[in-house]
Amino acid sequence: MKKPELHISIDIETDGPCVGLNSMLAIGAVAYFDYEEVDSFYAKLLPMEDAQQNSETMVWWATQPEAWEEVNKDQEEAIDAMNRFGMWLLDRKREFNASLSAVAWPAAFDFGFINWY
């Protein structure tokens, strides 16, 4: 018998488009089971030490001062945030006895950063 699916909608914020060169600043996820939201996760990450901010991305962030301020407070080490995210996923998988199905738009962009981290 096939396990039910727990859909995980993921969104990230970055300071540029290049995985490994730019930093992921935030990761958010919402878990949906049987078309209902059942839980959410959010973490703000400290930028990587050797990373660079992309100038075009920073022009966009300048148009979003409240969001920029929010994404830059209460940050944590990336390893801690990603470990918490991994545990959150495993806990949801066990709680619902379901397989996980991750979704994002654009998936290649978001998942590239998530995989890097």
Side-chain angles (χ1 to χ4, degrees):
M1 185 170 159
K2 185 179 172 190
K3 280 189 171 184
E5 285 190 343
L6 183 66
H7 293 93
I8 310 294
S9 178
I10 300 171
D11 187 41
I12 67 166
E13 300 297 340
T14 71
D15 62 8
C18 298
V19 175
L21 179 63
N22 305 123
S23 294
M24 182 167 61
L25 303 175
I27 180 170
V30 178
Y32 293 92
F33 189 74
D34 202 20
Y35 302 101
E36 289 189 40
E37 181 179 333
V38 293
D39 202 6
S40 62
F41 177 91
Y42 183 62
K44 296 173 277 188
L45 291 63
L46 287 165
M48 297 183 303
E49 284 187 29
D50 297 332
Q52 303 172 20
Q53 293 178 333
N54 174 270
S55 59
E56 290 178 29
T57 303
M58 297 314 294
V59 167
W60 179 83
W61 274 115
T63 69
Q64 309 296 318
E66 291 174 1
W68 179 249
E69 181 181 341
E70 174 60 30
V71 82
N72 281 285
K73 64 181 173 182
D74 302 323
Q75 297 166 306
E76 62 185 296
E77 295 290 338
I79 191 165
D80 296 332
M82 296 311 287
N83 281 334
R84 281 193 320 103
F85 182 56
M87 290 306 300
W88 179 82
L89 290 169
L90 289 174
D91 288 347
R92 298 300 72 75
K93 181 177 179 175
R94 281 188 220 115
E95 178 182 356
F96 290 91
N97 191 29
S99 60
L100 300 178
S101 176
V103 295
W105 182 259
F109 180 82
D110 290 20
F111 293 166
F113 275 89
I114 292 168
N115 286 333
W116 174 265
Y117 279 77

